[in-house]
Amino acid sequence: MLRTLSLFPRLPFPPSRRFPNFATMPVEAVPLCPKFVPVEQSEITSISSSEAFKFSVISYNILAQVFVKSSYFPHSPKPCLRWKARSQAVSTVLGSFGADFLCIQELDEYDSFYRDNMGQLGYSSIYIQRSGKKRDGCGIFYKQASAELVLQENIEYNDLVKSIDGETNSTVTDSAVSVAVGNADGEETEGLAEKSTENDRGDPNDPRVRLKRDCVGIMAAFRLKSLSQHLIIIANTHIYWDPKWADVKLAQAKYLLSRLDQFKTLVSEKFEVIPSVVVTGDFNSTPGDQVYNYLISGNSASESTVECPDELPPIRLSSVYACTRGEPAFTNCTPGFTGTLDYILFSPSDCIRPVSFLELPGEDSPSVAGGLPNYQHPSDHLPIGAEFQVLTQ
C-alpha cells in the first residue's frame, strides 16, 4: 500500500487517458473476479495434462483495514471502504480463484475473520504479523486437499539490526546490512520532514534506525498431495514502502534471498529432494529499479535486458509475468501513484513452468477508472497469479 501519496513518483496517464470521475460512470457494487489466461508458448502449452501436475498461486495485497481511511483514499466511494463491504468483497475475490496457494500481504483481522472464513473454503493457513505495534502481516493460505505443510520459517527484517549490534556473525545479514550502512548518509534522506510519523524513531542516518522498519516475510515448504515426491517452497513478503529509502529495500531483498537459499538447502537435506521455489509479494519496487534487478539478475536469461548489480543473488529467480506476457502496466492504482509493485517469481528449471497467468485490467478499463479501491476492486492493489506445471520424470 502507498499511504503517503504525495511522496511517491507519479506516473500520470496522458490527458486523453486520465481517469474519469466516478460520478460520470455507472458502477455496480460487485467485485471483479479475474481469470487465468494460458501462456502463448507452444513448448509449454503443448505439454499434456497427463505428463504434469498443476498448481496455482495468487499474490494479493488486500489493503489492511487499519489503513483504510477516507483521507488516504478520498477518490474512493465511501461505502466500499467500510469493513463489512470490503471483507466480503475480498473473500469473494479470493474464493473465486480456487487457487492452491493464496499469498496475502497487508493481512489484518486474521484471527477475527480471515482464518476461519477461508477455512470454510478448505484452506489452512500460516501467518506472521509485523513487528512492533503493526496490526497487519503476511499470510499463506493453502488448500488442505492440495498440499501439506512440512516446514516453515518466518522472516523478521528487523533482524538486520542485530548484525550492526554484533549479535550475529552471519554473512546473511552482513551482506544486506552493508547496503544500508553505505547509503545511510546519502541523498536518500532528503525530504524526511515530509514523512509520516512512523519513521520518526531517531537519526535516519543511523543504519539501526533505517533498518528497523517492522517488515516481515514468511516461507514454507509444502508437499503436493497429488505428487508426493515433489516439494514446493512458497515465500511471501512485503518490502518497505518508502521510495526514498531504496537502500533499505535492497537490504531487505538481499536478506530475503539469502534466507530463502538457506531454507532451500535445509529442505533439500532434510527431505532429500530438490524443491521448486516460488516467491511472491508486494516489493514496493517498480520494474528496472535496484530491488527488481537484484531479484532476477541471477537468471542468465535476464542478463541481456536487466542491468545486473555488482553482487548476484544466491538463488536464481524469474518473474512469471516478465517471461510470459511482460510485466503489467500497473498492479497498484491510485490517482497519486500508478505502477507495478507486486511480483510472482519462480526458480526456472525443467521441473516447474508457468502455463497461465491471472489477467489484469488495462489502463483503459472502466474498472480502474478514478483509482482504487472501488466497488470492483476492494484493494488499491490488483491480485496477480500464476498456474505452474510440475513435470515428472
Side-chain angles (χ1 to χ4, degrees):
M1 172 194 174
L2 302 179
R3 282 170 284 160
T4 312
L5 300 179
S6 62
L7 296 179
F8 290 88
R10 293 178 180 269
L11 305 178
F13 295 109
S16 61
R17 306 179 73 179
R18 287 191 180 278
F19 294 136
N21 188 285
F22 270 109
T24 66
M25 57 179 293
V27 178
E28 295 182 5
V30 178
L32 291 182
C33 300
K35 306 300 182 182
F36 283 97
V37 178
V39 173
E40 295 181 1
Q41 294 183 14
S42 58
E43 68 273 18
I44 291 179
T45 55
S46 63
I47 300 172
S48 67
S49 59
S50 62
E51 296 177 291
F53 171 79
K54 296 180 181 180
F55 69 94
S56 52
V57 179
I58 296 291
S59 180
Y60 193 12
N61 180 328
I62 61 172
L63 177 58
Q65 189 64 24
V66 69
F67 300 141
V68 178
K69 301 178 181 179
S70 296
S71 58
Y72 292 159
F73 303 101
H75 57 281
S76 299
K78 289 185 178 180
C80 71
L81 297 180
R82 296 175 185 139
W83 166 243
K84 184 176 181 179
R86 285 197 65 247
S87 61
Q88 294 302 320
V90 170
S91 296
T92 297
V93 174
L94 292 177
S96 71
F97 299 127
D100 298 296
F101 300 96
L102 300 167
C103 299
I104 310 300
Q105 306 90 42
E106 285 200 25
L107 176 61
D108 62 356
E109 307 295 344
Y110 171 72
D111 292 319
S112 63
F113 180 77
Y114 285 106
R115 181 175 58 185
D116 293 341
N117 191 70
M118 297 306 296
Q120 295 176 13
L121 298 179
Y123 288 93
S124 293
S125 57
I126 53 177
Y127 174 69
I128 178 174
Q129 186 171 323
R130 290 176 64 191
S131 309
K133 298 180 180 179
K134 307 301 180 182
R135 290 176 48 190
D136 66 301
C138 295
I140 300 176
F141 296 86
Y142 58 98
K143 269 190 177 179
Q144 299 172 14
S146 301
E148 173 192 0
L149 175 67
V150 297
L151 201 63
Q152 171 192 346
E153 284 190 10
N154 295 338
I155 299 174
E156 295 268 5
Y157 293 109
N158 284 355
D159 288 345
L160 289 167
V161 179
K162 295 179 181 179
S163 182
I164 298 175
D165 294 334
E167 296 179 20
T168 176
N169 294 320
S170 171
T171 56
V172 173
T173 54
D174 290 345
S175 172
V177 165
S178 64
V179 178
V181 171
N183 289 278
D185 57 356
E187 60 184 27
E188 298 289 351
T189 60
E190 294 180 3
L192 285 173
E194 300 176 17
K195 289 180 176 295
S196 61
T197 56
E198 75 168 66
N199 296 321
D200 187 17
R201 305 176 183 172
D203 182 5
N205 293 323
D206 184 343
R208 296 174 183 81
V209 174
R210 296 184 74 78
L211 289 169
K212 195 171 184 180
R213 298 294 99 194
D214 297 336
C215 298
V216 295
I218 191 169
M219 52 189 176
F222 297 92
R223 176 177 286 110
L224 298 175
K225 292 188 175 181
S226 297
L227 194 63
S228 59
Q229 299 303 313
H230 192 84
L231 296 186
I232 297 175
I233 292 175
I234 305 286
N236 181 28
T237 193
H238 193 174
I239 296 296
Y240 187 55
W241 65 273
D242 198 326
K244 293 181 178 293
W245 291 40
D247 55 309
V248 174
K249 296 173 187 282
L250 185 56
Q252 291 180 349
K254 287 189 172 186
Y255 186 57
L256 169 67
L257 295 200
S258 296
R259 286 286 306 277
L260 184 62
D261 185 53
Q262 290 185 347
F263 187 64
K264 181 181 179 182
T265 299
L266 175 63
V267 172
S268 299
E269 294 175 349
K270 184 177 179 67
F271 299 100
E272 299 182 345
V273 297
I274 299 177
S276 299
V277 176
V278 176
V279 183
T280 70
D282 177 354
F283 291 87
N284 273 315
S285 305
T286 55
D289 70 7
Q290 284 183 301
V291 169
Y292 181 87
N293 287 353
Y294 178 77
L295 290 171
I296 67 172
S297 61
N299 180 14
S300 59
S302 303
E303 291 180 357
S304 60
T305 57
V306 172
E307 181 182 348
C308 296
D310 295 334
E311 179 185 354
L312 293 178
I315 190 168
R316 293 178 58 217
L317 294 173
S318 293
S319 166
V320 166
Y321 281 84
C323 73
T324 55
R325 50 142 279 174
E327 297 293 5
F330 58 91
T331 61
N332 178 233
C333 181
T334 66
F337 174 89
T338 298
T340 297
L341 302 175
D342 308 272
Y343 306 95
I344 296 178
L345 310 165
F346 70 104
S347 56
S349 69
D350 293 332
C351 294
I352 180 174
R353 300 182 187 182
V355 293
S356 64
F357 53 82
L358 199 68
E359 63 181 350
L360 292 165
E363 298 170 353
D364 293 326
S365 172
S367 73
V368 300
L372 309 181
N374 59 24
Y375 291 109
Q376 289 99 338
H377 302 284
S379 172
D380 56 340
H381 286 248
L382 298 169
I384 58 175
E387 185 179 37
F388 294 93
Q389 283 186 337
V390 180
L391 306 183
T392 58
Q393 298 296 327

